[in-house]
Amino acid sequence: MKTFLIAALTLDGFIAQNIAQSSLKWTSKADTARFIELTKRAGVMIMGRTTFNTIGKALKERRMVVYTKQPLDIPGVETTTLSPAELLQKLAIEGHTEVAICGGAHIYTMFAKANLIDTMYITVEPLTFG
C-alpha cells in the first residue's frame, strides 16, 4: 500500500487560517489541480472530521474515509475509528493500492507516528497566517 501525505502550507507553516477554511480557498490554481490529480489517482482520501467539514461533501471519483466518532450520513463518505495501520490493512484487503492522507494536523501526525507515510507532497504558498 502506497501512502502519501498531501498538504499546502503557508510560509509560516500553517495549513489553514482557521478551522473552517478549506485550503482550496487560499491555495493556487496549480496546487488545487495537483490535489485533484493526486487524490483521483490514489482513489482513497483519508482525513479528519474538521478537514472533511471544510469540504462538506463527497468528491467524485474518490472514496472518502473520515476519522470521527460521530456518524456521517453522506453518500460516498465513510467514517472510521480504526488505527492507521488497521485502516490501511482493511483498504489493502479491499484491493486499494494507494491512499492520500489529506489532513488535518492530527491525522498527519497519527500516520507519521505510525511510520506509514511513503511520500509527502507539500506545496508552500507565498502567504502568512501567523
Side-chain angles (χ1 to χ4, degrees):
M1 171 74 67
K2 181 177 177 178
T3 305
F4 66 85
L5 178 151
I6 186 163
L9 303 173
T10 62
L11 289 172
D12 51 351
F14 287 85
I15 60 174
Q17 191 167 21
N18 59 61
I19 63 170
Q21 182 182 43
S22 168
S23 64
L24 299 178
K25 294 181 180 165
W26 62 267
T27 61
S28 64
K29 289 181 183 180
D31 177 69
T32 300
R34 182 179 192 207
F35 178 86
I36 293 168
E37 174 193 347
L38 291 171
T39 58
K40 281 186 176 180
R41 183 190 77 199
V44 179
M45 297 171 61
I46 299 170
M47 66 193 69
R49 178 68 183 256
T50 302
T51 299
F52 174 76
N53 287 345
T54 67
I55 299 169
K57 63 181 182 180
L59 298 177
K60 293 178 184 174
E61 301 176 46
R62 287 157 279 190
R63 179 177 178 180
M64 296 179 75
V65 181
V66 179
Y67 270 93
T68 182
K69 292 177 184 172
Q70 302 167 6
L72 288 170
D73 190 23
I74 301 170
V77 178
E78 61 191 87
T79 63
T80 190
T81 58
L82 295 173
S83 73
E86 290 170 326
L87 176 58
L88 293 182
Q89 182 179 21
K90 175 183 180 278
L91 292 168
I93 289 168
E94 293 172 357
H96 296 282
T97 58
E98 187 173 28
V99 300
I101 310 302
C102 299
H106 179 72
I107 304 304
Y108 292 145
T109 300
M110 281 179 24
F111 279 82
K113 282 185 175 182
N115 201 28
L116 294 171
I117 297 171
D118 301 309
T119 305
M120 295 193 310
Y121 296 103
I122 307 292
T123 300
V124 179
E125 295 286 0
L127 302 167
T128 58
F129 288 159

